[in-house]
Amino acid sequence: MLMCSLSACREFSFLGFAGAIALSMSTLKKVILEILVNNEHVDPLPGLCNELEEIAGKNVLEDLEICVSVQANAYSKTAEGLGRLDEVLGKSGWSALKKVSLDIYIRVPGTPYHDWVRLSAQKQFPVLSSNKTVAFHFEVK
């Protein structure tokens, strides 16, 4: 299992993630990514989808958990950037994948952004939502 926590107060990227796990790809079954987003101009998953495309077909990943904690004012990039994840994980190359979990925590609950993020992001996962072999969990809290 690989667990990675990142704080996205400044620009950061997942660039190099595929290379960092290259030696473990034949045995790595679970990845947990925890991301803290404090800036409204930061994409919460910068470069991650490109890195996932790099490891597609070369991994035995069964479980991918992504937890994004977002300040209420950082909602727009969060909802916009998630659709590509559905596209990448919906392609071939993920034969071992059994579970994808995406939790978005809005750190100022009760804001109008909470429902906006939930509704916007739900529309971006048609492939994962309808996949019969992958258990897809998505929640905005």
Side-chain angles (χ1 to χ4, degrees):
M1 177 175 70
L2 170 70
M3 183 169 177
C4 179
S5 295
L6 299 168
S7 178
C9 347
R10 298 186 185 138
E11 288 298 320
F12 76 102
S13 176
F14 283 98
L15 184 64
F17 179 75
I21 64 168
L23 294 176
S24 305
M25 279 198 282
S26 63
T27 58
L28 183 63
K29 294 188 180 227
K30 183 172 187 171
V31 172
I32 301 172
L33 301 173
E34 294 180 352
I35 304 147
L36 171 63
V37 179
N38 287 321
N39 184 327
E40 65 182 300
H41 302 293
V42 174
D43 174 357
L45 307 176
L48 179 61
C49 292
N50 291 340
E51 297 298 306
L52 290 173
E53 284 180 324
E54 291 254 341
I55 66 169
K58 307 173 198 168
N59 68 81
V60 293
L61 190 64
E62 294 178 357
D63 189 349
L64 175 62
E65 293 182 23
I66 301 173
C67 302
V68 181
S69 182
V70 183
Q71 288 282 42
N73 63 345
Y75 70 96
S76 61
K77 286 279 186 182
T78 301
E80 292 169 10
L82 299 174
R84 185 134 190 276
L85 188 64
D86 184 68
E87 177 187 324
V88 170
L89 295 177
K91 293 180 182 175
S92 62
W94 303 97
S95 58
L97 193 61
K98 295 178 181 163
K99 179 183 171 196
V100 174
S101 178
L102 175 61
D103 291 311
I104 299 175
Y105 298 92
I106 304 220
R107 296 189 346 217
V108 182
T111 66
Y113 307 128
H114 186 275
D115 289 334
W116 186 87
V117 170
R118 182 178 50 77
L119 293 172
S120 296
Q122 277 178 336
K123 295 176 188 175
Q124 297 188 45
F125 300 107
V127 177
L128 286 171
S129 296
S130 62
N131 192 318
K132 304 285 188 223
T133 59
V134 176
F136 177 61
H137 168 82
F138 170 72
E139 189 170 1
V140 177
K141 301 175 183 181

